[in-house]
Amino acid sequence: MYLTRRIMVQLVIFAAIAIVTGVIIVFGYLHLPARLFGVGRYTVTVELPEAAGLYQQGNVTYRGTEIGRVEDVKLTRTGVEALLSLKSDVYVPSDVEAQVHSQTAIGEQYVALLPRNPDSRPLRGGDVIPVEHTTVPPDINTLLGATNTALLAIPNDNLKTVIDESYTAFGGLGPELSRLIKGSTTVAIDARSSLDPLTALIDQSQPVLDSQTQTADAVSAWAAHLASITGQLQSQDRALHGVLSNGASAAAEARQLIERLQPTLPILLANLASINPVAITYQPNIEQLLVLLPQATQNLQGTLVPSLNTKQSILGANLSFNMNLNLPVPCTTGYLPAQQRRVPSVDDFPDRPTGDLYCRVPQDSPLNVRGMRNIPCETKPGKRAPTVKMCESDEQYVPLNDGNNWKGDPNATLSGQDIPQMPPGTPGSTRPPPLIGSAQYDPATGTYLGPDGKLYTQSDLAVGATQNKSWQSMLVPPGG
């Protein structure tokens, strides 16, 4: 048979197309190299308690994506082994769970691989997924038997009622039930993706549960108090309704009042905010004052009792003033020396000397017992100190001396500083130089302040003063 050149070319082209199509079908669709020789695949064994309807050539999925087929299902002495052929180009962790599921209501079981630890090594050929990491669907016969048992538990006379009530309860709720099931599925998927944190939360929940058990009494008391509050709110429903109804207008009036009080009210509140820390610090003192206030009021009222219902009642309270002047004598230790003290008649206002000026005798001295040295420290009970700095530190109060003589720094007063002395070995150091005292003298009154801090009167020191120095003249005031 003679074939023309055109027919020969057409036959060659048809043969080439047929060969290419066959290669595509063999390698791309039938995957014959992989099926016959295992090219690009590896096998994994899954141990199952039972076959559960799994069959050969069933699908194998990982995270919902098909990655292989079931090559064989065979019985063993302890259960069933399924041989899975998986694609080599898909990464699957070795720590996985194999679950047998039904794709449709009539069967078509497949194996779903779910990761237990995504960071584990890759799954390799010859690996075995143990039976404790596998699950199978419940047996349909067992499920039908349980359903039948549940239906038999319902009396026949009431079965119609159950069906009717079920229809009334769930009739027309198809979309809502669908959203509920879809939401539950989403929650389950999210919980599965967060399995490790969820497992850690469950494992570490024991301390929290133990704390709840240990505070059961407190929780019960809180619930009882909450029940009491809600009961009171219920009993006072009308009053609460009035508060809610009139609250807006009352708030508006309060706002207008605050606006009218500006800027006085903000300044007052700012001052109160400044006083608040001080009041908190001195809370024990304030409480003690409030405790003693009734007794002090009673004592003051007791001064009126002797003159009560008498003619002398119009004179008021009877008080006895015991004028024990200079008993004890004024404390001068720790203050400026007498030579630097100002005359009381001077009305200027010089700068205050640097340093802390207060009576620096021992704390148990009878001099100035209510002075600064005996002020209780608020933050350290049992400690007494003259300054806040000394109260807050570990420094203890050190007196200058145990007597009434002046001692300290002539320019200020520094705790623990002695009177300046001549250095040892200096000529005349064994014999102190004579003291020369000076004081400001008031010629009008004849008074001057002595080095010991006491006020003296002598009227014959002024120029032109009388020279009468009899003892009688010394008893009368100057100019008398």
Side-chain angles (χ1 to χ4, degrees), residues 14 25 60 79 96 112 114 121 124 137 207 252 262 288 299 309 331 354 368 385-386 398 422 430 467:
F14 177 78
I25 293 174
V60 179
V96 293
L114 299 176
R121 65 172 180 81
R124 294 192 291 261
Q262 288 182 351
Q288 184 66 19
N299 293 339
N309 299 325
C331 177
T354 58
N368 196 15
V398 179
M422 296 290 292
T430 58
Q467 300 301 319

Side-chain angles (χ1 to χ4, degrees), residues 128-285:
V128 178
I129 301 177
V131 67
E132 57 268 16
H133 292 169
T134 61
T135 58
V136 295
D139 185 21
I140 187 64
N141 296 324
T142 304
L143 182 60
L144 294 177
T147 305
N148 186 38
T149 303
L151 293 177
L152 292 176
I154 303 175
N156 294 331
D157 296 337
N158 298 333
L159 183 58
K160 183 178 182 302
T161 303
V162 172
I163 296 175
D164 294 340
E165 293 297 332
S166 300
Y167 174 78
T168 304
F170 300 103
L173 297 179
E176 287 76 7
L177 293 176
S178 176
R179 286 195 299 269
L180 178 62
I181 296 174
K182 184 177 179 180
S184 301
T185 304
T186 304
V187 171
I189 294 174
D190 294 341
R192 183 66 184 178
S193 61
S194 305
L195 181 61
D196 294 338
L198 185 61
T199 304
L201 176 63
I202 295 174
D203 294 340
Q204 299 174 7
S205 62
Q206 183 176 357
V208 179
L209 298 178
D210 292 341
S211 64
Q212 296 299 315
T213 303
Q214 296 171 1
T215 58
D217 296 338
V219 174
S220 300
W222 175 81
H225 296 162
L226 181 61
S228 177
I229 293 174
T230 54
Q232 293 178 7
L233 292 176
Q234 183 179 4
S235 61
Q236 301 295 332
D237 181 71
R238 181 174 299 179
L240 181 62
H241 179 73
V243 171
L244 296 178
S245 300
N246 302 325
S249 57
E253 293 179 0
R255 180 179 57 81
Q256 295 175 3
L257 176 62
I258 294 175
E259 290 177 354
R260 289 196 300 268
L261 292 177
Q262 288 182 351
T264 307
L265 183 61
I267 296 176
L268 175 62
L269 295 178
N271 294 336
L272 292 178
S274 302
I275 295 174
N276 182 47
V278 179
I280 293 176
T281 304
Y282 288 89
Q283 179 181 355
N285 306 69

Side-chain angles (χ1 to χ4, degrees), residues 46-62:
V46 178
E47 296 179 350
L48 299 172
E50 58 184 34
L54 191 64
Y55 57 90
Q56 191 176 3
Q57 299 300 323
N59 291 333
V60 179
T61 64
Y62 176 70

Side-chain angles (χ1 to χ4, degrees), residues 92-105:
V92 180
S94 59
D95 190 1
V96 293
E97 181 177 355
Q99 300 179 354
V100 179
H101 292 285
S102 297
Q103 190 170 2
T104 62

Side-chain angles (χ1 to χ4, degrees), residues 313-383:
S313 60
I314 59 176
L315 300 178
N318 292 330
L319 298 177
S320 176
F321 292 96
N322 188 3
M323 303 296 290
N324 294 329
L325 299 178
N326 291 333
L327 291 177
V329 296
C331 177
T332 58
T333 301
Y335 295 95
L336 294 177
Q339 294 83 355
Q340 298 184 17
R341 298 176 193 169
R342 301 172 59 252
V343 178
S345 60
V346 179
D347 57 359
D348 58 349
F349 48 92
D351 295 335
R352 185 181 183 278
T354 58
D356 298 323
L357 301 178
Y358 56 88
C359 182
R360 297 196 179 186
V361 296
Q363 290 180 326
D364 57 353
S365 173
L367 300 177
N368 196 15
V369 294
R370 297 183 179 88
M372 291 182 60
R373 72 183 190 279
N374 286 327
I375 295 179
C377 295
E378 296 297 328
T379 57
K380 293 186 177 181
K383 182 179 180 181

